[in-house]
Amino acid sequence: GNSVTQMEGPVTLSEEAFLTINCTYTATGYPSLFWYVQYPGEGLQLLLKATKADDKGSNKGFEATYRKETTSFHLEKGSVQVSDSAVYFCALYGNKLVFGAGTILRVKS
Amino acid sequence: EAGVAQSPRYKIIEKRQSVAFWCNPISGHATLYWYQQILGQGPKLLIQFQNNGVVDDSQLPKDRFSAERLKGVDSTLKIQPAKLEDSAVYLCASSPLEGQGLSGTQYFGPGTRLLVL
């Protein structure tokens, strides 16, 4: 079945550092790929998505590129802020959303 | 636009008791989902409704879990009897009608945190 693997956390960075959270997937067919974020005390919300190979999703300074050849969708941000502290979930959609286990990001000032 | 509403936010029960969770999706969203999120794991789909019909309940433990979506709007998820391993956050999500180019884009409620003792 479809599955998503993402890097374990927590990831702790200083403000303005570069962020990468790795995500790889296993799927049949051509799924859409997503990053969802969960801020403390809030529900999951969509951060960005890509629907086909080589598409780049971007939002709020975050980016991820759908790499079919490496089955990856790594999340990147050039300069993180304290307000980016949250749990980040990589997910794929074939006929339903399948989530990774989540990566906790902590940004220190 | 009001988001997905869920209640209660927290619930503590003894094992073998029953519990029910309520969800009100975003107005006009035809599709409603219930997920279970165990600590340290990503959300897992329990059941998906389109309007008031079940689309996917393949991962719903039907011996103890039940869900309904009367009139295609609000939904209730029930556990009876609860087990210790049911301790988790139960998330409700909604989306516009599938096939409108938004598959996978779902809007989540804040969740109900359940602790079974």
Side-chain angles (χ1 to χ4, degrees):
Chain A
N2 294 346
S3 65
V4 174
T5 303
Q6 57 183 110
M7 64 188 287
E8 288 190 25
V11 174
T12 303
L13 297 173
S14 297
E15 217 167 10
E16 299 183 5
F18 185 85
L19 168 71
T20 299
I21 300 178
N22 291 335
C23 171
T24 57
Y25 67 90
T26 302
T28 54
Y30 304 96
S32 297
L33 300 175
F34 300 80
W35 279 98
Y36 277 82
V37 59
Q38 188 170 34
Y39 297 104
E42 298 184 18
L44 279 162
Q45 55 186 272
L46 179 65
L47 180 60
L48 54 84
K49 67 178 182 182
T51 57
K52 60 183 187 297
D54 299 325
D55 268 4
K56 178 186 283 187
S58 61
N59 186 25
K60 299 182 180 180
F62 291 89
E63 292 184 340
T65 302
Y66 189 164
R67 302 285 188 200
K68 188 168 179 288
E69 63 277 12
T70 54
T71 63
S72 65
F73 193 55
H74 305 320
L75 183 67
E76 297 182 334
K77 186 176 186 183
S79 176
V80 293
Q81 305 300 312
V82 172
S83 57
D84 293 327
S85 298
V87 185
Y88 292 81
F89 292 91
C90 185
L92 68 79
Y93 186 90
N95 59 358
K96 61 184 169 191
L97 265 181
V98 175
F99 288 89
T103 302
I104 298 171
L105 171 65
R106 297 183 180 134
V107 181
K108 305 179 298 183
S109 59
Chain B
E1 177 183 77
V4 176
Q6 290 188 247
S7 67
R9 292 295 306 275
Y10 305 92
K11 191 74 176 178
I12 301 174
I13 61 173
E14 304 268 333
K15 62 183 179 184
R16 291 188 288 274
Q17 286 187 322
S18 63
V19 64
F21 312 126
W22 173 82
C23 173
N24 182 243
I26 291 173
S27 177
H29 280 191
T31 311
L32 185 147
Y33 313 82
W34 283 103
Y35 290 85
Q36 180 192 58
Q37 185 178 11
I38 293 172
L39 188 64
Q41 299 180 19
K44 181 185 82 172
L45 180 68
L46 292 176
I47 188 167
Q48 175 184 342
F49 292 95
Q50 188 147 305
N51 296 310
N52 59 351
V54 175
V55 173
D56 183 350
D57 64 356
S58 57
Q59 297 188 92
L60 186 74
K62 298 181 187 65
D63 57 333
R64 298 184 299 106
F65 286 64
S66 64
E68 60 182 9
R69 190 183 185 198
L70 299 176
K71 301 181 182 178
V73 182
D74 293 10
S75 178
T76 302
L77 176 70
K78 296 179 182 177
I79 308 175
Q80 181 179 11
K83 292 186 175 181
L84 297 177
E85 59 260 36
D86 298 332
S87 294
V89 176
Y90 292 85
L91 299 169
C92 179
S94 69
S95 69
L97 190 64
E98 292 283 307
Q100 292 183 341
L102 298 174
S103 299
T105 300
Q106 298 177 13
Y107 300 81
F108 286 81
T112 296
R113 189 175 298 272
L114 174 66
L115 178 60
V116 182
L117 302 176

